[in-house]
Amino acid sequence: MRNQILAAAIATALSAPLAWAQETATLGDVIVTAQRRSENIQDVPISVAAVDSNHLNAMFEGGGDIQVLAARVPSLYVESSNGRLAPRFYIRGLGNSDFDLAASQPVSVIVDEVVLENVILKSFPMFDIDHVEVLRGPQGTLFGRNTPAGIVKFDTRKPTQEYSSDVAVSYGQYGSESIEAAVGGGLSDAVSFRLSALYHGRDDWIDNDYTGQQDVMGGFNEFAYRAQLLIEPSDAFSALLNIHGRDIDGTASIFRANVLGPGSDGFNSNYRRGHVSYDEGDNNPQRAKGTGGSLKLDFKFAGDLTLTSITAYETTNSKSLGDIDGGFGADFLPAAGPCPPGWQPGDTCIPFPSATSDGIDDLDQFTQEFRIASQANDRLFWQAGAYYFDSEFSVTTNPFFVAPTTLTHKNTAWAVFGHVSYDVNDKWTLTGGARYTDDDKDLTVQASPLPQTPQSVSDQNVSGDLSALYKASDNVNLYARLATGFRAPTIQGRDVAFFGSPSIAKSETITSLEGGFKSTLADDRVRLNGAVYYYEIKDQQLSAIGGGGNFVQLVNADKGTGMGVDLDGEFLITDRFMMTLGFSWTDTEIQDNTLVMPPCGSGLCTVTDPLDGNGNAIIDGNPFTQAPEYVATVTARYGIPLANGELFFYTDWAFQGKTNFFIYESKEFFSDGNYEGGARIGYAANGGKWEVALFGRNITDEENVKGAIDFNNLTGFDNEPRIVGVSVRARF
């Protein structure tokens, strides 16, 4: 059935061109800043997908967090085992499934030109967004370390001299409510502002059958704001001040005991969306609060020379408490009884409660970038710069059967870079650049069950890229790109709280080769861009998670490889009928014939990997974790003129292929063929200045497995339920 839905959606998009010849409207240009300057997306020699505010508004309706982007852009996936906090991003199959709050990721999240390094910072709610860009493949030259997979780049709406105000209100099932508002305009000829804010929340709707409490989990309340001030006293200088913050109080991830298998994937009959049985965790509360700010200064000099300075600071605190086994009973197997006599550490039975608290204490991140750029002549553009990063925070883990452990992480990095783009002639453009980075990390144990030695790692790296763009015609560009990048060395300290020692992974480096095309067809009524790629990672950083002791260990695989295709399409079928189509296929493989790991902490799952003499899984040849084999997306909007406005219909669908949850493979710990759909039916008037709509998210109420806990039972966690509601939007 799922394949039939996907086939029907693609067939609808591909059969659409029949009406194009009768229409006059065009798609228009898409402007992106993938190379740190404004360019038409068709002229950028990088695989880039852009999502505009209209599509984003539909995705986030109903109270969804940043995870709604998962599988909504080809080659992009997002998931989290920490509720609405600590999302993990994957591009072209490459990411990091480590749930530790200090874990690094190979996908960088950048908001208004400021990197958000820590996973809690990456969960900042998205509102008043102009557009999102997904840059696929290594972006080490212009954006630095920890970008070997790519970048998710958010650009908010900026102040202008023209007065405007926006408000959007929605209400849906489970008490899901949202209020988003923004106002801005000129304060004088040289000063303009924009204020925006978001409140969204949901009532608790999940019962705890163990305690007999009803509607005690699943809800949240979050408030966020952004204030921007733009000062432009002359054409030669501008200053943009950005101050923002957020406060969220809600529910951590809902883990569900023994809902997977055994012997097959997907939820079994133990799964009930609105019910859990927790004897620990105080119903899984979660809280985060943070503020930040940035100052961007632009100085323009003669000769079209611009000096840019971006200074930014972020601070945040967070805390989550959860019943990690997802059930009741200290041995994690409901009604199985206590551990047998003679139990020893490392045996299957784990004789302590599973409730664990994790939190970040006083994270401080400071970044400074200086960049100088020039359009030297009609053919040559160049830019160069320097970058500094400094971060410090503590992570406190409390497993409750021993005293809490506190670890302090410090990370400093600096870099210098240069980038050049040259039009050889009217057909050929060559682009290249390089970046030198120095990265240092330190781990200090403030408190732990056992004495620990401080850990330090550092590395230096030169990454770069080289590309060629060929204008085959007025409507078709072809490009090829060779790029390298690296993820800095990492220290993992979570096992210290469980009588273990820190683990260290050395730097991973990636070499990526891709070729693609960018085209506008049917008199600018079709935009179709695609790419094929192959990448190879040396010393790939992996997180071995789970086993009988629920350990989290960093390891380096000798090599990892990935290959695939990305396809982004927009189709203006008629002036009132618009569709988008996206598809990606990814094939990833771990290549290390000596790397093994302990599988299946419960002993209940069915491991399909070969085992060595010690019962460890041999993972050579396995796919990367949380790397969907394919992603397919379809959206469609159709409008019918009515009175002084338009009756519109909108739908969006995302499809996800087989996705493995852990490094080893089993018959239980993966998902296959997941999909979700959304829809809006409404009326817009006065040129779209106001609208009212009935919306639905996950309209078929799919019960999808999003991830698992490999501890001592078959625990899984799910997607959000169906939310149906109404929304009103107005612009003044």
Side-chain angles (χ1 to χ4, degrees):
M1 179 64 182
R2 290 170 175 171
N3 291 335
Q4 292 173 348
I5 293 175
L6 172 60
I10 294 175
T12 300
L14 295 180
S15 65
L18 297 176
W20 290 338
Q22 303 174 7
E23 306 299 331
T24 58
T26 60
L27 286 172
D29 294 338
V30 175
I31 304 302
V32 297
T33 55
Q35 297 188 117
R36 293 295 187 95
R37 57 172 174 151
S38 297
E39 297 175 283
N40 189 326
I41 194 172
Q42 303 303 101
D43 298 329
V44 177
I46 299 172
S47 179
V48 183
V51 185
D52 64 27
S53 59
N54 291 328
H55 287 88
L56 292 171
N57 290 338
M59 291 181 199
F60 286 103
E61 239 168 4
D65 64 3
I66 203 167
Q67 294 178 69
V68 303
L69 292 174
R72 298 288 173 177
V73 175
S75 289
L76 175 66
Y77 191 61
V78 192
E79 53 88 23
S80 174
S81 58
N82 199 15
R84 301 177 74 87
L85 301 182
R88 298 185 286 259
F89 292 80
Y90 306 78
I91 294 179
R92 290 179 170 173
L94 182 56
N96 183 6
S97 60
D98 191 347
F99 58 81
D100 186 70
L101 296 178
S104 70
Q105 295 183 359
V107 177
S108 188
V109 173
I110 295 175
V111 179
D112 290 336
E113 299 190 73
V114 176
V115 64
L116 302 182
E117 183 78 10
N118 186 268
V119 289
I120 301 298
L121 295 179
K122 291 178 179 181
S123 70
F124 192 89
M126 294 298 107
F127 61 98
D128 202 30
I129 299 294
D130 182 74
H131 70 281
V132 175
E133 299 172 24
V134 178
L135 282 58
R136 309 180 185 103
Q139 307 296 324
T141 299
L142 291 176
F143 296 96
R145 86 247 195 278
N146 298 350
T147 62
I151 288 172
V152 182
K153 185 172 173 290
F154 297 87
D155 288 299
T156 66
R157 291 174 175 157
K158 302 300 187 297
T160 66
Q161 281 288 307
E162 182 179 357
Y163 172 82
S164 66
S165 61
D166 306 83
V167 62
V169 180
S170 68
Y171 184 81
Q173 289 175 285
Y174 305 107
S176 302
E177 55 187 356
S178 175
I179 303 173
E180 182 178 343
V183 61
L187 296 175
S188 70
D189 291 342
V191 180
S192 54
F193 78 100
R194 187 169 183 86
L195 302 175
S196 54
L198 168 72
Y199 167 78
H200 59 175
R202 182 175 299 156
D203 295 338
D204 288 325
W205 57 279
I206 299 175
D207 299 343
N208 188 344
D209 293 343
Y210 184 85
T211 63
Q213 299 171 294
Q214 295 184 339
D215 298 332
V216 291
M217 281 171 276
F220 67 92
N221 289 281
E222 181 166 30
F223 172 74
Y225 65 88
R226 184 181 300 111
Q228 299 182 82
L229 188 68
L230 177 62
I231 303 173
E232 301 173 290
S234 69
D235 293 339
F237 173 75
S238 66
L240 176 62
L241 176 65
N242 179 321
I243 298 174
H244 50 267
R246 59 95 65 100
D247 191 337
I248 180 172
D249 188 355
T251 304
S253 283
I254 301 298
F255 303 129
R256 301 172 182 274
N258 299 311
V259 296
L260 303 177
S264 64
D265 67 308
F267 288 125
N268 60 31
S269 59
N270 293 329
Y271 172 79
R272 293 193 299 162
R273 174 165 260 159
H275 299 263
V276 294
S277 293
Y278 287 177
D279 63 346
E280 298 281 335
D282 195 26
N283 296 320
N284 289 25
Q286 183 176 80
R287 180 77 187 270
K289 189 174 184 179
T291 57
S294 64
L295 178 63
K296 180 181 179 182
L297 305 175
D298 281 314
F299 303 86
K300 296 182 179 180
F301 303 98
D304 198 22
L305 190 69
T306 301
L307 172 64
T308 300
S309 168
I310 303 174
T311 308
Y313 174 77
E314 300 286 339
T315 182
T316 196
N317 292 273
S318 73
K319 188 173 184 180
S320 294
L321 173 63
D323 190 322
I324 307 305
D325 67 282
F328 57 89
D331 59 4
F332 299 87
L333 297 173
C339 293
W343 172 87
Q344 297 293 326
D347 290 350
T348 298
C349 186
I350 302 175
F352 49 78
S354 65
T356 303
S357 172
D358 283 286
I360 282 188
D361 306 318
D362 299 323
L363 181 147
D364 295 297
Q365 175 189 290
F366 172 80
T367 59
Q368 174 65 57
E369 180 173 11
F370 293 106
R371 190 169 70 241
I372 189 167
S374 174
Q375 185 69 54
N377 54 50
D378 291 342
R379 295 185 179 274
L380 176 65
F381 172 85
W382 64 267
Q383 58 182 308
Y387 179 79
Y388 177 76
F389 173 91
D390 184 271
S391 173
E392 180 175 348
F393 60 91
S394 296
V395 175
T396 297
T397 300
N398 188 354
F400 297 104
F401 62 90
V402 293
T405 292
T406 299
L407 312 175
T408 297
H409 296 262
K410 296 182 180 180
N411 183 195
T412 59
W414 63 271
V416 291
F417 62 91
H419 180 264
V420 175
S421 182
Y422 181 69
D423 295 333
V424 179
N425 52 43
D426 293 341
K427 293 288 188 179
W428 287 94
T429 299
L430 299 180
T431 301
R435 187 183 191 106
Y436 172 84
T437 302
D438 184 290
D439 189 278
D440 297 277
K441 289 187 176 73
D442 298 289
L443 172 67
T444 304
V445 179
Q446 308 296 336
S448 68
L450 298 175
Q452 298 287 341
T453 302
Q455 302 288 330
S456 297
V457 293
S458 64
D459 197 9
Q460 301 78 42
N461 177 270
V462 176
S463 56
D465 67 281
L466 179 64
S467 63
L469 183 86
Y470 174 69
K471 295 182 179 180
S473 69
D474 291 341
N475 300 315
V476 177
N477 290 340
L478 306 176
Y479 76 92
R481 182 173 187 257
L482 173 67
T484 64
F486 94 113
R487 181 150 56 121
T490 305
I491 307 174
Q492 168 59 271
R494 182 178 174 80
D495 283 354
V496 172
F498 300 91
F499 307 103
S501 299
S503 58
I504 294 175
K506 59 185 177 181
S507 298
E508 69 177 22
T509 56
I510 185 172
T511 301
S512 171
L513 179 63
E514 74 175 61
F517 68 91
K518 307 215 171 174
S519 63
T520 54
L521 309 170
D523 296 325
D524 292 336
R525 301 182 65 81
V526 174
R527 181 180 294 113
L528 192 61
N529 298 340
V532 296
Y533 62 86
Y534 173 82
Y535 63 79
E536 188 172 294
I537 309 168
K538 181 181 178 181
D539 297 322
Q540 182 180 6
Q541 294 184 17
L542 300 174
S543 297
I545 300 172
N550 197 28
F551 296 120
V552 182
Q553 293 287 318
L554 292 175
V555 296
N556 287 102
D558 284 346
K559 188 166 68 172
T561 62
M563 67 178 69
V565 298
D566 308 313
L567 181 67
D568 303 290
E570 296 178 77
F571 305 84
L572 186 57
I573 300 169
T574 73
D575 288 356
R576 297 190 176 277
F577 187 16
M578 173 75 179
M579 294 190 70
T580 68
L581 170 67
F583 179 80
S584 62
W585 169 78
T586 303
D587 179 37
T588 60
E589 184 176 313
I590 299 169
Q591 297 184 4
D592 190 326
N593 57 18
T594 64
L595 188 59
V596 298
M597 70 166 293
C600 199
S602 65
L604 300 176
C605 73
T606 310
V607 180
T608 56
D609 288 328
L611 305 179
D612 68 4
N614 297 316
N616 294 317
I618 300 171
I619 65 171
D620 183 44
N622 284 357
F624 301 168
T625 57
Q626 297 290 358
E629 284 185 343
Y630 70 81
V631 164
T633 68
V634 178
T635 74
R637 187 187 188 280
Y638 185 74
I640 301 174
L642 182 65
N644 294 320
E646 180 187 51
L647 179 66
F648 65 85
F649 304 86
Y650 173 87
T651 187
D652 61 283
W653 293 84
F655 304 84
Q656 172 190 338
K658 184 178 179 181
T659 307
N660 209 44
F661 296 152
F662 302 119
I663 297 177
Y664 70 88
E665 292 193 285
S666 72
K667 292 184 178 180
E668 296 82 7
F669 292 141
F670 69 92
S671 64
D672 193 7
N674 287 353
Y675 68 89
E676 282 191 22
R680 304 183 78 237
I681 302 174
Y683 180 76
N686 197 16
K689 288 188 176 180
W690 69 266
E691 69 170 42
V692 58
L694 173 68
F695 71 85
R697 304 306 303 168
N698 188 14
I699 55 177
T700 56
D701 201 23
E702 297 303 307
E703 297 175 343
N704 294 329
V705 184
K706 301 296 289 185
I709 303 294
D710 179 16
F711 201 169
N712 208 24
N713 61 15
L714 297 173
T715 294
F717 48 95
D718 59 357
N719 61 332
E720 289 203 326
R722 174 170 52 205
I723 302 292
V724 175
V726 295
S727 66
V728 178
R729 296 180 179 273
R731 301 182 181 93
F732 306 96

